Amino acid sequence: MTKLSIVAATTVALAASSVSSFSVVTNSPTHITTLSRASSSALNLIKGEAVDAEAFDENEGGVGLALRSAIKISGKCQKEQCDAHEILRYEKMQEVETSVAQSIMDKSGCSVLCSGMGQELYQDPGSTIRYEDKLVKLAPIEAAKAALENVSAASDAKYVSLNFVGGDDLIIGEVLEACGMLVNGLNLEGKPKISFNSISFNQFADETCSVAVVASGGN
């Protein structure tokens, strides 16, 4: 039985889910006092872990919960400017069959405009110090480039969703940059409302990213 790829499966999950809003809080600047050698009593407050100390429990403080969860960050794009607005935590991801996914998309009036896969690459330039000899490829950017090579006609779609999936090393800043690249390269007719979704999960391969661009609301 044929299984749907992660990109398309995630697209269906993203289309059907709802999210809770969040805001970024910026703390006021903290005054830092430089300690002199005479302040030995203050320095003693910072102690390293003892050799025979009990192993750190990753489930304390929510660390384990974060590691086990799939995190989705969503937002909107205005022209080439994309901003994150919402976040949601999933306990697991589920693969769906191709026929089920296609049925959901057909009933919702959705179609995939393009999709692509990107691979992270950091090439060691060796002993050279020339900037142009350094090669760095970011997975979300490479996925966007691959997607733009096989774009279907968007017709008069009213809504366009940019859906990214990667491992838990997926960086939202890189996703936002890739979103801007897609918005600029798709040459969408009219003025559709553009949103994006980015899912990172430790069960997906690190240093890779997939993207699927979905359109809806057209004739």
Side-chain angles (χ1 to χ4, degrees), residues 6-18:
I6 285 178
V7 172
T10 303
T11 299
V12 175
L14 292 170
S17 63
S18 60

Side-chain angles (χ1 to χ4, degrees), residues 28-73:
S28 58
T30 302
H31 180 69
I32 301 176
T33 302
T34 303
L35 298 176
S36 64
R37 292 182 180 275
S39 305
S40 58
S41 59
L43 290 173
N44 288 333
L45 294 175
I46 305 175
K47 297 181 179 180
E49 186 177 34
V51 176
D52 57 348
E54 184 178 349
F56 173 73
D57 184 1
E58 68 176 21
N59 291 311
E60 293 185 359
V63 176
L65 181 63
L67 291 174
R68 295 190 300 271
S69 300
I71 305 299
K72 183 177 81 170
I73 299 177

Side-chain angles (χ1 to χ4, degrees), residues 45-189:
L45 294 175
I46 305 175
K47 297 181 179 180
E49 186 177 34
V51 176
D52 57 348
E54 184 178 349
F56 173 73
D57 184 1
E58 68 176 21
N59 291 311
E60 293 185 359
V63 176
L65 181 63
L67 291 174
R68 295 190 300 271
S69 300
I71 305 299
K72 183 177 81 170
I73 299 177
S74 302
K76 297 180 180 180
C77 298
Q78 296 289 341
K79 295 184 178 181
E80 297 178 32
Q81 179 64 42
C82 300
D83 298 299
H85 298 296
E86 302 171 318
I87 188 170
L88 184 67
R89 179 181 66 84
Y90 293 95
E91 293 184 355
K92 62 180 180 179
M93 301 293 291
Q94 181 176 355
E95 189 176 30
V96 298
E97 297 178 9
T98 303
S99 58
V100 175
Q102 190 61 55
S103 176
I104 294 174
M105 294 185 68
D106 290 343
K107 291 178 180 179
S108 302
C110 298
S111 61
V112 177
L113 295 183
C114 59
S115 63
M117 172 73 77
Q119 179 75 41
E120 205 97 333
L121 175 63
Y122 295 91
Q123 180 173 301
D124 185 0
S127 60
T128 180
I129 60 174
R130 297 197 322 154
Y131 175 81
E132 54 268 30
D133 290 337
K134 298 180 180 180
L135 179 59
V136 177
K137 292 185 178 181
L138 304 177
I141 304 298
E142 295 304 307
K145 290 179 180 178
L148 289 173
E149 293 178 356
N150 58 95
V151 181
S152 301
S155 66
D156 57 347
K158 295 179 181 179
Y159 306 95
V160 174
S161 178
L162 318 175
N163 304 293
F164 291 82
V165 174
D168 58 8
D169 62 344
L170 188 62
I171 299 175
I172 187 60
E174 297 174 4
V175 170
L176 292 175
E177 184 178 349
C179 285
M181 180 183 298
L182 285 171
V183 172
N184 182 55
L186 287 171
N187 296 318
L188 299 170
E189 299 177 5

